[in-house]
Amino acid sequence: MEDRSRLRALVDLARKDGARACEVLRTQSEERVMTAWRGRAQRSEVTTFTVRAWLEGGRGGVGRGASGEKAVAEALAEASRAEASAIAGPADRMPVVTGPLGIDDRRHAGIAEVDRNEVLQTAERALSQGGVTLNRIEYRERRDVRAYLSSREVELEAAATTYSLEAEATLGGRALRHRIASRHFSDVASLPFGTDLRRRLESIVQPGPVPARALPVVLDPRAMAALVRAIAPAFAATVIDQSFLASFRGKALAASALHLTDDAGLASGLYTRTFDDRGVPPIAVALLKEGVVNSLYHDPESARALGLRPTGHCGPGGILPANLIVRPGSRTRNVILTELKDYLVIDELPTVDLASGRIEGVVDGLVVMGGQRASGLRARVATDIHTLLHQVSEMAADQERSEEVDAPTTVFEGLRIEA
């Protein structure tokens, strides 16, 4: 491990000052940001230490900052004020992830200003057509090198790259935000980012009347990914009792067609990692098994309380979802939509309230009649996650990756759309 002695010195310092156990995570981040074609990338470098220390009785504290010594002092001070805990402490040593994960782009060091400018130029050119106004655009690349060491002799190091392109544009008074992200520069450079955003805008302008009769509602892979992304944090064992999932442990939350897995070890996944911020290698978690709430995310403490293995999903702010995978169906999108003939396409559902599970707000989309676009759609949705997910009638076979979520086109029957 690079600079292993530095991390060991911090663990030794914590133990000298009274810690019974300690873990140190050092994250070195290099980032470049560009906000316009022909602009110049703004470069920054940051090193952050995260120290967790436990005193007698499992009293634990956390310290963070650019100084490892100050982080140790902060962690010990917080631990001195904490309550005793029988389940606190570093994670046990576990088998490390082996084999290539495809999360550290080998091209990273060779990316030049001309390459970044080409990404922005291509997107801006696509968004300068058809009356679209580009409000903002941002290209961002980052490489993180993380090193972890604990008093239980767990020593780990890994590097990972992340590339993203995000923009907001307006057409006919409608504004949409669009983002793509990947572990590989080639993905961000080759995907039709600007064209996709322009087409989304073109599909929702000129809204017409909301159809009087109830029609099936279709979410494309990107919109379905946004829905899944919104509900995933509720599956953390540390927050489930304060979320809409509290009454659904082991029960059907969704139709049996919906099967949802989180795999933080997925090859080339946006949030794939060899270990999480607690030094735990990831395992796949089946969150929904044929619609039933099946498993949860666990940190070392919540797992220890139940005699389970932690899942490897700890990040800077606690337990965080990683790569979400919605199992696709067997029929193609084209076959399904041809049979439907008349349906609504929703660009994206409103934000989910994780405490209540309510989904309320205005949606944009389009009305399709006889397989042809009839008009744009501007309407209101008011429902809850339990009701909505039980209205899933079919999952298509066209699974696509949207940032960290793999999802297919999904059809909902019975979702009320009101003017």
Side-chain angles (χ1 to χ4, degrees), residues 221-285:
R222 182 198 54 77
M224 186 59 183
L227 174 62
V228 170
R229 180 184 298 119
I231 67 173
F235 287 85
T238 52
V239 304
I240 186 173
D241 289 336
Q242 290 78 49
S243 79
F244 69 89
L245 278 181
S247 60
F248 288 99
R249 291 173 181 262
K251 298 180 181 179
L253 176 70
S256 60
L258 185 56
H259 187 94
L260 175 63
T261 303
D262 187 307
D263 186 1
L266 182 68
S268 299
L270 183 62
Y271 293 145
T272 292
R273 50 203 166 222
T274 54
F275 60 93
D276 71 357
D277 282 11
R278 300 296 303 276
V280 178
I283 57 174
V285 182

Side-chain angles (χ1 to χ4, degrees), residues 89-95 148 150 152 154 278-281 300 304 308 310:
D92 297 327
R93 180 189 292 272
M94 300 177 194
Y148 173 93
S150 81
R152 293 189 175 177
V154 178
R278 300 296 303 276
V280 178
R304 195 172 287 133
L308 301 174

Side-chain angles (χ1 to χ4, degrees), residues 114-419:
V114 63
D115 301 315
R116 303 181 186 101
N117 267 297
E118 185 176 352
V119 170
L120 286 164
Q121 181 185 18
T122 302
E124 290 186 12
R125 184 185 296 122
L127 290 167
S128 64
Q129 304 173 23
V132 175
T133 299
L134 178 61
N135 302 327
R136 65 178 182 85
I137 190 167
E138 178 184 89
Y139 165 82
R140 185 180 295 265
E141 66 183 49
R142 177 176 175 140
R143 187 170 190 265
D144 295 317
V145 179
R146 298 185 306 138
Y148 173 93
L149 189 144
S150 81
S151 54
R152 293 189 175 177
E153 301 304 319
V154 178
E155 302 175 359
L156 303 163
E157 185 173 24
T161 50
T162 305
Y163 306 88
S164 68
L165 184 61
E166 182 175 336
E168 180 184 282
T170 303
L171 177 64
R174 298 283 187 264
L176 290 178
R177 169 187 166 275
H178 196 62
R179 183 176 187 269
I180 56 174
S182 175
R183 291 295 196 184
H184 302 285
F185 176 77
S186 59
D187 291 339
V188 173
S190 61
L191 291 172
F193 174 86
T195 300
D196 285 348
L197 176 53
R198 178 166 51 80
R199 287 175 178 171
R200 284 179 61 197
L201 285 164
E202 289 171 347
S203 71
I204 66 173
V205 296
Q206 298 178 341
V210 177
R213 62 188 177 95
L215 294 176
V217 172
V218 176
L219 297 186
D220 69 10
R222 182 198 54 77
M224 186 59 183
L227 174 62
V228 170
R229 180 184 298 119
I231 67 173
F235 287 85
T238 52
V239 304
I240 186 173
D241 289 336
Q242 290 78 49
S243 79
F244 69 89
L245 278 181
S247 60
F248 288 99
R249 291 173 181 262
K251 298 180 181 179
L253 176 70
S256 60
L258 185 56
H259 187 94
L260 175 63
T261 303
D262 187 307
D263 186 1
L266 182 68
S268 299
L270 183 62
Y271 293 145
T272 292
R273 50 203 166 222
T274 54
F275 60 93
D276 71 357
D277 282 11
R278 300 296 303 276
V280 178
I283 57 174
V285 182
L287 304 175
L288 289 175
K289 188 174 182 180
E290 296 181 349
V292 176
V293 177
N294 183 70
S295 299
L296 304 177
Y297 303 115
H298 285 281
D299 62 14
E301 286 75 23
S302 67
R304 195 172 287 133
L306 298 172
L308 301 174
R309 181 201 189 281
T311 59
H313 287 81
C314 289
I319 296 177
L320 301 173
N323 306 306
L324 300 163
I325 304 167
V326 181
R327 186 175 64 191
S330 57
R331 300 205 303 164
T332 67
R333 170 190 170 97
N334 287 342
V335 168
I336 293 170
L337 297 186
T338 298
E339 286 186 1
L340 289 179
K341 293 186 176 61
D342 303 338
Y343 53 90
L344 308 178
V345 179
I346 301 300
D347 181 75
E348 195 166 303
L349 287 168
T351 302
V352 180
D353 185 317
L354 289 181
S356 66
R358 292 294 298 172
I359 303 176
E360 298 184 27
V362 175
V363 295
D364 289 304
L366 62 92
V367 179
V368 177
M369 304 297 288
Q372 301 295 320
R373 181 188 189 279
S375 68
L377 175 71
R378 182 80 166 172
R380 183 171 181 81
V381 170
T383 185
D384 61 79
I385 283 293
H386 177 240
T387 301
L388 175 69
L389 296 184
H390 270 284
Q391 293 170 331
V392 171
S393 61
E394 189 161 11
M395 320 287 292
D398 64 330
Q399 189 186 66
E400 295 180 10
R401 180 164 296 179
S402 176
E403 299 184 46
E404 81 284 17
V405 185
D406 292 355
T409 295
T410 305
V411 181
F412 297 79
E413 297 276 0
L415 176 59
R416 294 187 62 184
I417 304 294
E418 301 176 345

